[in-house]
Structures are given as C-alpha cells and as structure tokens.
Amino acid sequence: AGLLEDSPRAPVRQTLSAREMAELTADAAGESEEGRRDQRRRATLAIFSPLVGAATFAYSRSNPADAVTVLRGMESRSPSLEVALASGRPTVVEFYAQWCKDCKAMASSVDKLERRFDDKVNFVVLDAERPENAKLVSLFRVDAIPHFAFISPDRKLLTTLTGFVPADAMTEQIKAFASGGNSLPYCGTDNCKAAGAT
C-alpha cells in the first residue's frame, strides 16, 4: 500500500478510560491538573495580596516606628545649638530622655512638625541624659521633660513648654513661631508675651 491509496483506511479505535477521557477533555479545554493548581494559586494571590497589603498598612499606621528611634533620628539630623543660633532663624531646642513617656508620645508629631517647618525653624533635639549635654541642661534649667525652649532669631529665649503638649497646640505654637513673631499662643511658667495678652 502506497501513500496515495484509493481506499481509505479504517480509523484506529481505542477504548479510553474515564480518567484518560477527563484528561483529554481538560487538556483540550486548557485545564490540566497543573493548570487548575496554577489557576487556584493565582486566584488565592489575587484575593490575599490586597488583604495582606491592607493589614500591613493598618499595622504601620497603628504602630509607627519606635518613638526612641524617631527621637534619635531627630537628634542626629539636628544642627548643633551654635549653628542653629548663628543662622538668624528661630530655634526650638527640645530636651528628651529615652524613658520619658511624654517624649515618646510626642515624638511622631514633633518629627512631622520638624519636617514641615525645617525651612523656617531650626530644631535642635538633645538627649538630656547624655553627659555632653549636661551644661545645656543646666543653662536651660531643664527640670522637666520634654522641655521645649523657643529662641528668637535674635537669640532671646521667648518661652519654654514642658511636659506633654497636644499636637494641635504644638502645631499652632510652631506656626506662630515660624512666622517670625515674638508673640506666641502658648507660654510656659516663665514670663513670656502670649498672643493677645496685654
């Protein structure tokens, strides 16, 4: 029998099992067992990836960076007091301690204010417990922390705020301070001229 035969050959018939038939049908439809596993894996990733992302975002919002790390970062970025006072800009000097609960509670909001006003106000952040800062602790009469000293561009101490200061009050204080006015909305126990005071 040659290649060009006049009579057609009978088709080869083979009996397929149900499993073989399912595999052939699945292959024809592009749904092999491996394909189904891959499809399930992709569907699982599509469902869980946004959930994991949302959970990570929520966690980072409720558990920001360690407050002591934030304070140390602020301290490492801050200029020396001498450089800050020589700049002709208003300067906030913050004294903190690692164990101070109020310092840690305020760290994130003060860090945001520092970043927001860094082109108008110098922020000098100092660990009050470091021996090299002992003279400044004495000079500024730091007896409570956090201790924020507001120094005008002409090097005059306008006021000090100690203890916990709510974020909105500190924002108002820094805004007024950045505008160059010597009249601040909040004063400590020292004699300062509060905005609107006579």
Side-chain angles (χ1 to χ4, degrees):
L3 197 55
L4 300 171
E5 242 176 45
D6 287 338
S7 62
R9 292 172 75 184
V12 177
R13 298 209 183 253
Q14 181 180 358
T15 306
L16 298 174
S17 69
R19 181 174 174 260
E20 291 171 324
M21 188 60 119
E23 284 179 10
L24 285 174
T25 307
D27 285 343
E31 294 181 16
S32 66
E33 182 62 34
E34 185 179 318
R36 284 191 296 273
R37 270 191 297 236
D38 188 49
Q39 189 176 21
R40 281 193 300 267
R41 185 173 44 247
R42 281 186 268 154
T44 301
L45 283 172
I47 291 168
F48 287 108
S49 292
L51 294 175
V52 169
T56 302
F57 176 75
Y59 178 80
S60 69
R61 295 287 289 178
S62 63
N63 298 302
D66 174 55
V68 173
T69 303
V70 172
L71 288 164
R72 285 184 180 154
M74 291 167 57
E75 184 176 17
S76 70
R77 288 190 311 267
S78 71
S80 68
L81 183 59
E82 295 76 20
V83 169
L85 294 177
S87 73
R89 296 190 326 185
T91 299
V92 175
V93 181
E94 176 186 2
F95 291 92
Y96 78 94
Q98 294 181 31
W99 51 262
C100 169
K101 289 181 183 179
D102 289 339
C103 300
K104 291 190 265 187
M106 294 178 64
S108 178
S109 62
V110 173
D111 184 45
K112 287 176 187 169
L113 287 170
E114 178 182 325
R115 292 174 191 273
R116 179 176 167 190
F117 292 99
D118 71 340
D119 60 331
K120 296 177 182 165
V121 176
N122 296 312
F123 289 84
V124 178
V125 181
L126 302 167
D127 184 341
E129 293 195 315
R130 286 193 175 176
E132 61 268 26
N133 295 330
K135 286 183 181 179
L136 292 174
V137 167
S138 177
L139 178 70
F140 282 92
R141 296 185 175 122
V142 177
D143 57 2
I145 51 176
H147 178 104
F148 297 91
F150 293 84
I151 304 170
S152 69
D154 57 350
R155 298 178 169 204
K156 292 182 180 159
L157 179 63
L158 300 179
T159 193
T160 58
L161 299 178
T162 58
F164 182 81
V165 180
D168 56 343
M170 186 61 86
T171 300
E172 191 179 342
Q173 183 84 346
I174 299 293
K175 268 187 192 177
F177 194 51
S179 71
N182 287 340
S183 186
L184 300 172
Y186 300 99
C187 289
T189 56
D190 51 0
N191 294 324
C192 79
K193 186 176 179 185
T198 55

